[in-house]
Amino acid sequence: MTKYIFITGGVLSSVGKGVTTASVGLLIKSMGYNVTAIKIDPYLNVDAGTMSPYAHGEVFVTEDGGETDLDLGHYERFLHINLSKKNNITTGQIYLSVIMRERKGDYLGATVQIIPHITDEIKSRIREIARESGADVVLVEIGGTVGDIEGLPFLEAARQMRLEEGFENTMFIHVALVPTLKTTGEQKTKPVQHSVQELRRIGIQPDVIVARCETPLTPEARRKIALYSNVPPEAVISNHDVETIYEVPLILKSQGVDRSIAKRLGLEYREPDLSRWIRFVEKVKNACRTVTIAMVGKYTHLRDSYMSIIEALRHAAAHLSVKPVLIWIEGTDIEQGKISVEDALNSVEGAVILPGFGKRGAEGKMRAIKYLREHGIPTIGICFGLQLMVIEFSRNVLGLKDANSTELDPNTPHPVVDLMKGQRHIDRLGGTMRLGAKSIWLVRGTRAYEAYGGRDVVYERHRHRYYINTRYINAFEKAGFRVSGYSFENHEEVIEIMELRGNFVYMGTQAHPEFKSRPLEPAPLYLYFMKNVLRI
Ligand code: GLN
């Protein structure tokens, strides 16, 4: 019998529900159970692909090419599994399929309604994932906060699932903020009380309350939350701020969350084996040598926009027992003269040219790229990052004046980066990029080949429309900027990885290796980059 754990949020969004969900998942998995996780996003977009990173943070790309919520990244990293695009359910998807079915006549005669048609569709999608994954435990995180109008059908579906699947097979965890009043230092529980009341009004009694707080929950706050939420005090868990998110499973475990879940769901309790995880957390926390990495991008004011890259750097750094210090460099700040390239970059040990879209900040980023290349600073470019490295090289080394990407200048005389042929005739933007895991053939004797441990073919995830124009490859190669990885899409060659010949790493990839980086298994390209930054 599959067990379902629903995770709801209260008071505020972005309090760490995703990390809590992933952490609970890790504890259950470490007990030897098969776990999967679903993120529900109650917005009307069909997927996260059309949303601005500023509004929504990073778009996380799954192996099967889903453009999903960044919480799937937490799940994959903590659970060390690959998820499908199906694991991110949105209101848009639900309504789209119900309405399409209505038009086909599948409900002929019926009045199509939120209850039961929308709720049935929600439940059937959750159960489909349960079936296909074969998981013993399915975690379902409901995005937003309790009380949001758009979240109601999902909460209603969850309530129905408790009845249909049985009390012993369903569990509710409510994650809510417990703010501390600066003036008195007191932890205030009223917001949690209200959000639990709201949840109960809908018909859901939470089994566990996870209190997100700055400092460990006081016994007084715990007592109050327990009383008002109608749960025993040991079911109120303190999830206080910690140095690294990877510590969260450990603080949950120290309060017996694993035991409570096993008991509540009738699962045999087995002591979770977290030894490798604990070693990783210790490495993150104990690293004293710092390594300064410039993060050159465009959405640098919202760090969530680059979440997987930050985590990939952390994984690689922890593996080498160092601590990354990220220096954020905004392309537009360089363009507007707010910072000088020299000041921004003269003390960094390495740089990442971040992925992105569109013109804003691109010229500024290219000035940074020129500096990095000319000063021999180890640099790795991700997707748009590679494309900008290629444009900069074309202009300043090959002397191709006004070389550009047709994304940035459709009339450039030298389209060194161009729209892929398969992208020329698309009529809609949602879900149409080159998406998901693709094979990359590595060229022997290159740094990329070495980075991937001598494998001939690797699989990395993609999300792009533009690519390096193969017409210019000979010119690049002659000037020392060589192709070290390639693939094919619709019988057309796609340049996947390029690198400068020479004694420092200067490499760009069309793929996003960060999406496959795991705490216990850093992404090879990030690890290689980090080793080279440290010269080891
Ligand atoms: N805008 C570029 C493209 O579509 C790069 C995308 C990215 O960096 N993910 O090809």
Side-chain angles (χ1 to χ4, degrees):
M1 195 72 195
T2 315
K3 311 283 180 181
Y4 295 91
I5 302 179
F6 295 93
I7 297 96
T8 56
V11 185
L12 283 183
S13 62
S14 309
V15 285
K17 241 182 348 205
V19 172
T20 305
T21 305
S23 302
V24 166
L26 174 66
L27 293 181
I28 304 172
K29 188 182 175 193
S30 306
M31 281 193 250
Y33 294 103
N34 207 335
V35 180
T36 191
I38 299 172
K39 173 71 192 292
I40 288 177
D41 282 307
Y43 47 66
L44 280 164
N45 302 60
V46 170
D47 61 36
T50 51
M51 296 168 89
S52 157
Y54 263 139
H56 194 257
E58 157 188 288
V59 174
F60 185 81
V61 180
T62 53
E63 208 64 1
D64 59 358
E67 298 176 276
T68 71
D69 184 75
L70 53 75
D71 279 324
L72 268 80
H74 290 311
Y75 308 160
E76 287 206 352
R77 289 186 281 270
F78 280 65
L79 295 171
H80 207 129
I81 52 173
N82 288 339
L83 296 170
S84 154
K85 57 175 130 187
K86 289 185 183 169
N87 291 57
N88 190 188
I89 300 174
T90 69
T91 300
Q93 289 166 22
I94 300 290
Y95 276 79
L96 191 62
S97 63
V98 169
I99 292 172
M100 281 192 347
R101 232 177 293 142
E102 187 278 331
R103 290 290 80 189
K104 256 172 68 193
D106 286 1
Y107 306 109
L108 220 50
T111 307
V112 182
Q113 293 180 300
I114 292 181
I115 303 173
H117 300 97
I118 293 293
T119 45
D120 280 355
E121 178 66 21
I122 295 167
K123 289 184 293 179
S124 98
R125 287 186 179 226
I126 294 172
R127 290 188 174 115
E128 185 184 326
I129 294 165
R131 223 177 17 255
E132 286 179 1
S133 65
D136 304 307
V137 180
V138 180
L139 297 154
V140 185
E141 177 189 345
I142 303 178
T145 38
V146 172
D148 298 345
I149 290 178
E150 43 193 18
L152 279 172
F154 294 103
L155 292 169
E156 170 60 18
R159 186 193 67 79
Q160 292 174 14
M161 278 188 77
R162 165 160 283 185
L163 276 180
E164 292 162 8
E165 300 290 326
F167 181 77
E168 66 290 0
N169 297 321
T170 47
M171 181 173 178
F172 284 85
I173 298 179
H174 187 61
V175 185
L177 180 74
V178 175
T180 301
L181 273 193
K182 280 272 175 300
T183 41
T184 57
E186 193 191 352
Q187 287 178 333
K188 304 303 281 183
T189 63
K190 190 70 82 189
V192 179
Q193 295 175 32
H194 281 304
S195 73
V196 173
Q197 271 166 23
E198 187 64 25
L199 203 52
R200 289 179 15 205
R201 208 170 59 82
I202 303 166
I204 294 170
Q205 166 64 50
D207 301 288
V208 169
I209 311 285
V210 174
R212 271 292 291 121
C213 34
E214 281 176 35
T215 51
L217 198 65
T218 62
E220 175 58 11
R222 171 171 278 127
R223 195 189 58 74
K224 264 192 179 163
I225 295 172
L227 180 66
Y228 286 98
S229 311
N230 195 24
V231 297
E234 57 279 11
V236 180
I237 308 296
S238 171
N239 183 359
H240 41 273
D241 290 353
V242 274
E243 210 180 305
T244 150
I245 52 168
Y246 299 111
E247 226 178 315
V248 174
L250 307 179
I251 54 170
L252 298 187
K253 165 129 180 43
S254 71
Q255 297 169 78
V257 172
D258 46 340
R259 267 182 205 281
S260 327
I261 293 174
K263 191 164 158 222
R264 172 65 185 73
L265 291 174
L267 294 166
E268 185 199 334
Y269 181 74
R270 307 174 196 140
E271 184 62 34
D273 178 9
L274 290 166
S275 48
R276 292 185 65 204
W277 192 269
I278 292 170
R279 265 203 304 281
F280 165 74
V281 172
E282 279 168 359
K283 274 190 160 182
V284 173
K285 291 176 72 172
N286 298 339
C288 34
R289 153 85 156 99
T290 56
V291 50
T292 322
I293 307 287
M295 302 286 273
V296 183
K298 151 173 165 183
Y299 314 105
T300 56
H301 298 301
L302 181 68
R303 306 287 147 84
D304 276 3
S305 308
Y306 303 114
M307 182 173 290
S308 292
I309 295 178
I310 300 173
E311 295 309 321
L313 290 169
R314 287 192 179 138
H315 302 160
H319 203 79
L320 303 168
S321 299
V322 296
K323 199 182 265 304
V325 175
L326 307 181
I327 311 285
W328 294 90
I329 297 170
E330 176 71 30
T332 42
D333 288 350
I334 297 177
E335 279 172 18
Q336 294 162 3
K338 282 194 198 151
I339 46 168
S340 88
V341 174
E342 168 77 33
D343 291 347
L345 296 172
N346 68 17
S347 62
V348 303
E349 294 166 85
V352 182
I353 315 299
L354 296 160
F357 295 82
K359 223 175 153 82
R360 192 174 63 77
E363 292 298 326
K365 284 190 259 181
M366 280 191 278
R367 277 169 41 202
I369 291 169
K370 179 168 188 280
Y371 181 96
L372 293 163
R373 184 179 53 75
E374 290 179 343
H375 289 77
I377 298 170
T379 299
I380 184 167
I382 307 298
C383 202
F384 197 45
L386 162 71
Q387 297 173 359
L388 293 180
M389 286 162 92
V390 164
I391 300 167
E392 186 280 325
F393 190 86
S394 306
R395 290 181 188 174
N396 300 324
V397 180
L398 300 186
L400 300 174
K401 202 168 160 286
D402 297 326
N404 217 329
S405 164
T406 49
E407 176 181 2
L408 311 177
D409 174 10
N411 302 317
T412 171
H414 304 291
V416 290
V417 178
D418 202 3
L419 201 57
M420 297 183 67
K421 290 213 175 63
Q423 290 286 335
R424 297 212 175 133
H425 304 291
I426 54 158
D427 63 350
R428 54 176 72 185
L429 293 181
T432 54
M433 278 188 248
R434 179 173 183 247
L435 292 166
K438 308 275 176 189
S439 43
I440 300 173
W441 279 268
L442 300 171
V443 179
R444 291 194 179 191
T446 60
R447 285 182 178 273
Y449 187 76
E450 186 193 337
Y452 280 101
R455 276 183 286 163
D456 289 320
V457 188
V458 293
Y459 295 84
E460 295 288 11
R461 299 183 193 170
H462 292 73
R463 181 172 186 250
H464 66 118
R465 288 187 206 286
Y466 292 82
Y467 69 156
I468 310 302
N469 192 337
T470 44
R471 273 200 344 236
Y472 295 88
I473 288 306
N474 282 343
F476 292 137
E477 292 266 356
K478 266 197 211 124
F481 202 14
R482 70 192 296 204
V483 173
S484 47
Y486 59 92
S487 62
F488 294 94
E489 191 72 32
N490 302 322
H491 309 293
E492 194 186 6
E493 185 177 355
V494 179
I495 305 304
E496 289 279 359
I497 309 176
M498 289 183 72
E499 60 188 55
L500 212 53
R501 284 179 200 271
N503 56 3
F504 72 106
V505 175
Y506 187 84
M507 191 188 258
T509 164
Q510 195 60 78
H512 293 265
E514 61 274 12
F515 292 136
K516 289 170 81 158
S517 184
R518 309 280 188 252
L520 305 183
E521 207 178 299
L525 225 49
Y526 283 90
L527 187 59
Y528 181 82
F529 163 69
M530 199 59 95
K531 277 184 183 163
N532 276 273
V533 171
L534 296 165
R535 299 181 211 295
I536 48 176

